[in-house]
Amino acid sequence: AQSVTQLGSHVSVSEGALVLLRCNYSSSVPPYLFWYVQYPNQGLQLLLKYTSAATLVKGINGFEAEFKKSETSFHLTKPSAHMSDAAEYFCAVRDTSGTYKYIFGTGTRLKVLA
Amino acid sequence: DSGVTQTPKHLITATGQRVTLRCSPRSGDLSVYWYQQSLDQGLQFLIQYYNGEERAKGNILERFSAQQFPDLHSELNLSSLELGDSALYFCASSVGFTTGELFFGEGSRLTVL
């Protein structure tokens, strides 16, 4: 079964510093991978998606993620954190084994320090 | 605004009661997904419908049921409610069954007292 693992339930960075949120996937077939962001009291919003077209995927709000098959990773990065980036971030994989359901990681809460 | 509408936004009820949560997907989306988000369980997939038919089931309790109607809106019915059912329930939609990313509604927060 396909799955994703997010390392670090809480990450703190200073404003202007690099943001790195880690996600590793488990899949026996080429995966469809996603990053979503959830701001307080809101639903999840798509940041970016990987669908095998390019290994470096650019998303909204300056975020990007790189698909590394050798490391089974899909880490999310942003060169310079902004206070408005404080939110919870979810990595997800779409199960392509037949159900096509989306499986989410446990989430990483990003705190940005002034 | 994702285009996915969920009602009600907040609901407070007592143990043993039954509630219905409603979801209208984005215009043109045929797939509807239901997720439960709680502090201790994270985001749990409950059930998926595509064009009126159930296509996938996750960790959905027998006390819970759902359906998708011909106009594509969906309802999640929760019965014999327990304290542990208190959570945020999200609906999401996508254009197809095998394609398209999920678009989430803002959720229905259920509190069981």
Side-chain angles (χ1 to χ4, degrees):
Chain A
Q2 292 164 316
S3 65
V4 289
T5 301
Q6 291 184 243
L7 300 175
S9 58
H10 292 80
V11 169
S12 293
V13 299
S14 298
E15 192 173 19
L18 171 72
V19 175
L20 171 60
L21 304 182
R22 300 177 187 275
C23 173
N24 288 89
Y25 69 90
S26 170
S27 176
S28 58
V29 297
Y32 289 91
L33 295 163
F34 307 81
W35 274 100
Y36 282 83
V37 60
Q38 184 180 25
Y39 298 103
N41 300 314
Q42 293 187 26
L44 280 72
Q45 179 184 0
L46 181 69
L47 271 178
L48 50 82
K49 62 180 179 182
Y50 168 75
T51 56
S52 77
T55 56
L56 184 62
V57 182
K58 294 189 184 299
I60 62 171
N61 302 337
F63 284 93
E64 62 181 36
E66 186 172 8
F67 174 74
K68 291 187 177 180
K69 186 177 178 181
S70 61
E71 299 177 8
T72 62
S73 68
F74 190 58
H75 301 333
L76 182 71
T77 61
K78 182 174 180 177
S80 176
H82 192 273
M83 297 298 287
S84 60
D85 295 326
E88 188 152 21
Y89 293 80
F90 293 90
C91 181
V93 62
R94 188 166 72 210
D95 180 8
T96 53
S97 65
T99 66
Y100 296 96
K101 64 185 180 185
Y102 290 73
I103 301 162
F104 286 82
T106 51
T108 298
R109 187 168 297 277
L110 176 66
K111 186 175 182 179
V112 182
L113 307 171
Chain B
D1 182 5
S2 67
V4 178
T5 303
Q6 287 188 249
T7 57
K9 290 194 186 319
H10 301 276
L11 192 55
I12 301 175
T13 188
T15 54
Q17 295 298 305
R18 172 189 169 97
V19 298
T20 297
L21 309 180
R22 182 187 169 103
C23 169
S24 293
R26 289 190 325 154
S27 176
D29 284 359
L30 300 178
S31 272
V32 169
Y33 302 72
W34 285 98
Y35 285 85
Q36 179 193 58
Q37 186 179 40
S38 59
L39 285 175
D40 56 344
Q41 295 287 326
L43 198 62
Q44 296 289 315
F45 168 71
L46 296 178
I47 198 163
Q48 179 206 0
Y49 282 85
Y50 175 75
N51 205 19
E53 292 188 11
E54 180 185 307
R55 298 309 294 259
K57 227 170 187 177
N59 302 321
I60 188 166
L61 299 172
E62 285 191 10
R63 300 184 285 108
F64 296 0
S65 64
Q67 56 183 325
Q68 186 180 28
F69 295 87
D71 67 352
L72 301 177
H73 91 272
S74 178
E75 292 181 357
L76 178 66
N77 300 295
L78 314 175
S79 61
S80 302
L81 286 169
E82 302 175 358
L83 296 177
D85 298 327
S86 295
L88 197 51
Y89 292 84
F90 283 111
C91 169
S93 72
S94 68
V95 63
F97 173 55
T98 63
T99 58
E101 60 267 27
L102 295 185
F103 292 87
F104 281 80
E106 294 194 350
S108 293
R109 182 171 294 281
L110 172 66
T111 302
V112 182
L113 301 176

